Amino acid sequence: MTSNPSAPQTSLKEDAQFIGLVGLAHGISHYSQLLLPPLFPWLKEAFGVSYTQLGLLLTIFFVVSCAVQAVSGFLVDRHGPRPVLLSGLSLLVVAAVGFATAPSYEALALWVIVAGLGNGVFHPVDFSLLNRKVRASRLGHAYSVHGISGNLGWALAPALLVPVALLHGWRVALLVAAVPIAVVLLLLWWQRARLQLAPVHAAVAVVDGGGEGAFAFLRLPTVWMCFAFFLFSAAVLSVVQTYAPEAARQLHGVPVQFAAACVSVYMVCSAIGMVGGGFLAADPSRCERIVAAGFGLAMGLSLLAALAPLPGMAVPVLFGAMGLVTGSSGPSRDLLVKRATPVGATGRVYGVVYAGLDIGQALAPLVFGRLMDLHRYQDVLLGLALLQLLLIANAFNVGRSKREVLAPA
């Protein structure tokens, strides 16, 4: 694993408070990604569009986020994470209000671009802060909290939006959705001194004994293996969040209210799994095996949902089990990336690797949205299992391709 010679010897209380602030920001990022998908039934009727067209909104969001994520990694290394983080949160507040007032599908797409600009900053910011300000012995738990907060953000969005939309309509729901983002923005502004981090003026990575420079990390095979892993991981998540619950509802006769709960159940159980995953990540040498085991179990559950005759009430339980085993591998996944990171290039590496998340979430809605429009519900769940199989193979490829990254002290 790449060492972190500049990591401070902070107290447990200081680390816990700092990790909590970063976790709040990460939770808002994930929460903002699900402002629209829970409202697809309302948006489909309001604008007279198909599931494929609604999926295109997610594609736009994540394409923009991907581009911003890669660029923001360099901005974080050059200017520090604080201004980048506060700018991203501000854009998300503006986008949420824009969604609520959009008069047409085309206007909604324009506000999706604004939301993508805001969403793209979080992973380079978060991991730069955690890796440089949290005591090295607590990083596994820091990654666990980081992942948990993201999943709780995903769980919060449908839990808040759907009841408000049922009572007051989708526009009011989106206005209400802007409030948590604004609250976290104000809190982080108040605590901005704790988010200060000196810019990295000269980050040098040495790859295979040569090739020094700000872009040398791009020659590391493990960086691109991690990029591919995150692409497939994001595609899995996109299917779970958008189409898999409806596909399972159509196959197994799940009551509508329980189908809507599948995403929240998945995310909450995934967060629980990440608590244990923080302990599993204590031994970095077994990270790829933990990741492969988690997604192997998830693949079995996806096949069960696709092929077995299940009672409708069992489907939310199945989604919860899938979230639990997937979440347990989350901290190990993040440690795989840390092993690929040269000292002083954290923002850039995480910007590139986590861009795979955005690309996966941009592509999956187009493919699986088309399957939904064709009423091929079983194929949606079989496709989910196939993506999980690809993740298992890719996790071992990351392990085989990893190299130690050396940097001058």
Side-chain angles (χ1 to χ4, degrees):
M1 181 189 300
T2 303
S3 63
N4 186 7
S6 63
Q9 299 303 302
T10 47
S11 69
L12 176 60
K13 181 179 178 181
E14 290 172 326
D15 275 351
Q17 292 174 343
F18 183 77
I19 292 166
L21 286 176
V22 175
L24 272 176
H26 188 232
I28 286 298
S29 168
H30 285 216
Y31 166 81
S32 300
Q33 291 171 16
L34 284 189
L35 292 185
L36 295 182
L39 301 177
F40 274 2
W42 286 269
L43 298 175
K44 187 174 186 293
E45 181 178 348
F47 296 120
V49 293
S50 68
Y51 279 115
T52 302
Q53 288 172 294
L54 291 172
L56 180 60
L57 294 176
L58 300 183
T59 298
I60 294 170
F61 176 90
F62 287 110
V63 166
V64 173
S65 182
C66 172
V68 172
Q69 188 152 223
V71 173
S72 66
F74 288 86
L75 293 176
V76 167
D77 287 340
R78 182 179 294 269
H79 301 292
R82 186 175 66 184
V84 181
L85 174 60
L86 295 176
S87 298
L89 282 167
S90 300
L91 288 170
L92 289 177
V93 173
V94 172
V97 175
F99 290 155
T101 58
S104 65
Y105 174 83
E106 291 75 17
L108 202 61
L110 290 175
W111 287 115
V112 162
I113 294 173
V114 176
L117 290 171
N119 183 72
V121 309
F122 286 92
H123 285 120
V125 164
D126 294 351
F127 286 104
S128 292
L129 287 168
L130 293 176
N131 287 347
R132 290 179 60 189
K133 299 199 77 168
V134 173
R135 193 167 185 166
S137 61
R138 300 186 184 117
L139 274 177
H141 296 291
Y143 293 160
S144 178
V145 171
H146 185 262
I148 289 168
S149 66
N151 279 38
L152 292 178
W154 275 326
L156 174 62
L160 174 64
L161 287 162
V162 172
V164 177
L166 287 170
L167 291 173
H168 302 292
W170 64 272
R171 292 189 186 274
V172 174
L174 286 167
L175 282 175
V176 171
V179 174
I181 310 173
V183 170
V184 171
L185 173 60
L186 292 174
L187 175 63
L188 293 181
W189 174 258
W190 178 48
Q191 293 288 315
R192 62 191 181 278
R194 306 186 71 170
L195 302 174
Q196 179 63 27
L197 194 63
V200 179
H201 295 292
V204 178
V206 180
V207 181
D208 291 335
E212 299 182 3
F215 292 91
F217 73 95
L218 293 174
R219 295 178 54 195
L220 290 167
T222 192
V223 169
W224 296 106
M225 290 291 182
C226 288
F227 173 89
F229 178 85
F230 275 68
L231 188 152
F232 292 127
S233 177
V236 166
L237 188 59
S238 178
V239 176
V240 169
Q241 290 176 335
T242 52
Y243 300 128
E246 177 63 15
R249 186 180 79 84
Q250 296 288 345
L251 285 175
H252 303 295
V254 184
V256 174
Q257 63 270 29
F258 290 105
C262 285
V263 173
S264 293
V265 171
Y266 178 96
M267 294 306 167
V268 170
C269 290
S270 181
I272 294 170
M274 286 180 185
V275 175
F279 293 94
L280 292 174
D283 182 0
S285 66
R286 63 188 183 191
C287 286
E288 58 267 21
R289 296 195 297 275
I290 294 169
V291 172
F295 280 102
L297 291 170
M299 181 185 72
L301 292 168
S302 296
L303 290 173
L304 188 66
L307 302 173
L310 297 174
M313 297 294 291
V315 171
V317 176
L318 185 145
F319 271 77
M322 194 186 304
L324 186 69
V325 296
T326 302
S328 67
S329 67
S332 294
R333 176 199 70 178
D334 291 330
L335 279 177
L336 281 176
V337 181
K338 181 172 171 54
R339 289 157 71 181
T341 305
V343 173
T346 302
R348 275 164 281 176
V349 170
Y350 279 91
V352 169
V353 167
Y354 275 80
L357 282 178
D358 292 332
I359 293 174
Q361 287 178 290
L363 296 176
L366 294 179
V367 176
F368 286 87
R370 182 59 178 162
L371 291 175
M372 289 293 293
D373 285 333
L374 294 173
H375 307 292
R376 294 171 59 178
Y377 305 119
Q378 187 178 61
D379 288 345
V380 169
L381 296 172
L382 290 174
L384 177 61
L386 176 60
L387 289 170
Q388 290 160 333
L389 177 62
L390 291 173
L391 277 169
I392 297 169
N394 196 255
F396 285 110
N397 283 336
V398 171
R400 283 195 295 267
S401 68
K402 74 175 177 66
R403 286 172 169 78
E404 290 295 328
V405 181
L406 304 176

